[in-house]
Amino acid sequence: MTEKLRVALVGCGNIGEALCQAVKEGAIPAEIAALTDPEVERAERLRTVFAPNAAIGSIDAAAAETDLLVECAEGGAVPSVLDAAARHGRDCLIMSVGGLAADNDALDKARNAGVNVRVPSGAICGLDGLRAAMEGGVTRVRLTTRKPPAGLRGAPHIEATGFDLDGLTEAATVFEGTAREAIKAFPKNVNVAAALSLAGVGLDGTEVRVVADPTSDVNSHEIEVEGAFGRLRTVTENKPSPANPKTSYLASLSACAELRAAAEAFIRCQAGA
């Protein structure tokens, strides 16, 4: 019988739960074999509900016993995941793309160790078009992210500036800058900016604008690209995740799609071995 991909989840929040649910329902042909989270009770809850055979422990222990590390925690966990992946020769899927973009040394080390670092499409469409456009040369990449105020509450930039999200009666721009600056200002809100930067002109060349809109009930991302090919514009309107308004539902779905692709590739490899 062909073995299933053994998966370690680093982070047991909204996206981790969505992956566990998809695996339990059979939508993803994999096994959740390890769980790790700074809040151990969250890992214990997922094990109780979805994965009774999963081990709970450190990132390093999870990497030693599984085939694929899935980071679905936050940007600060990414270097540790990449380091463990490189040390144990495990591939990984990184959801917190902001953490990936912010630590090129850890990314290079993992790739040099032969690690396949998977990056999902996340909450947007259009990355394939941007990558194609780069072949001919791109002169501008701009992202406008628009969210209900609740989705931006608690972000470092909002806290530092004292911006009154509760007092908004119409849309207001709360940030304009580079993707590098945006990742620091909104680490839980603009993984899209990091994904665009990795696919395109880099962190310092990608322009980002963040808008708080009290009249909106969706998280929207407008991408504008200009270059030798012409002009590209995409708009993705995401419903917030039911469990976390800071996360777009499409981000969870993209994690499921990427993990399914990895699991199916693993099965094909096992069958052909």
Side-chain angles (χ1 to χ4, degrees):
M1 181 178 178
T2 302
E3 294 184 3
K4 290 183 177 180
L5 181 74
R6 289 171 53 81
V7 177
L9 296 184
V10 181
C12 297
N14 179 44
I15 292 178
E17 182 170 343
L19 291 172
C20 283
Q21 182 72 46
V23 169
K24 183 177 181 179
E25 292 175 349
I28 299 175
E31 175 189 355
I32 304 298
L35 299 164
T36 179
D37 194 288
E39 299 180 32
V40 178
E41 61 273 15
R42 298 209 304 177
E44 291 174 342
R45 187 182 74 82
L46 289 193
R47 179 169 65 179
T48 299
V49 176
F50 299 107
N53 296 320
I56 296 177
S58 67
I59 296 175
D60 191 74
E65 299 299 327
T66 57
D67 305 305
L68 179 74
L69 286 169
V70 178
E71 179 280 316
C72 45
E74 60 181 9
V78 171
S80 296
V81 171
L82 292 174
D83 182 65
R87 189 162 53 251
H88 293 280
R90 305 295 190 230
D91 291 342
C92 58
L93 166 59
I94 302 296
M95 293 302 301
S96 303
V97 190
L100 190 65
D103 196 331
N104 287 328
D105 289 341
L107 177 58
D108 290 343
K109 178 181 177 182
R111 285 176 169 167
N112 290 338
V115 173
N116 177 23
V117 180
R118 288 176 171 266
V119 179
S121 58
I124 55 171
C125 63
L127 291 181
D128 54 345
L130 174 56
R131 293 190 187 98
M134 287 293 294
E135 296 296 317
V138 168
T139 56
R140 188 183 193 191
V141 178
R142 186 183 187 191
L143 166 70
T144 298
T145 288
R146 184 181 299 265
K147 294 194 174 189
L152 298 172
R153 190 167 287 116
H157 180 75
I158 298 298
E159 295 293 310
T161 60
F163 195 96
D164 183 14
L165 293 171
D166 294 324
L168 287 178
T169 58
E170 59 184 20
T173 297
V174 298
F175 173 87
E176 285 191 275
T178 66
R180 187 183 301 278
E181 294 166 338
I183 290 168
K184 294 178 181 178
F186 299 92
K188 295 183 179 180
N189 296 100
V190 292
N191 276 317
V192 169
L196 278 177
S197 299
L198 290 172
V201 296
L203 291 170
D204 297 312
T206 303
E207 305 169 29
V208 178
R209 182 167 69 113
V210 179
V211 178
D213 188 350
T215 68
S216 176
D217 61 355
V218 299
N219 299 329
S220 72
H221 303 289
E222 178 182 350
I223 299 168
E224 299 171 275
V225 179
E226 298 175 11
F229 74 100
R231 186 170 181 269
L232 175 154
R233 179 176 176 269
T234 70
V235 178
T236 308
E237 294 185 346
N238 297 292
K239 292 183 177 180
S241 166
N244 183 359
K246 293 182 173 64
T247 302
S248 295
Y249 185 33
L250 187 59
S252 296
L253 297 177
S254 77
C256 291
E258 195 67 34
L259 182 55
R260 182 184 299 109
E264 290 173 348
F266 181 84
I267 289 174
R268 288 195 297 272
C269 182
Q270 293 292 307

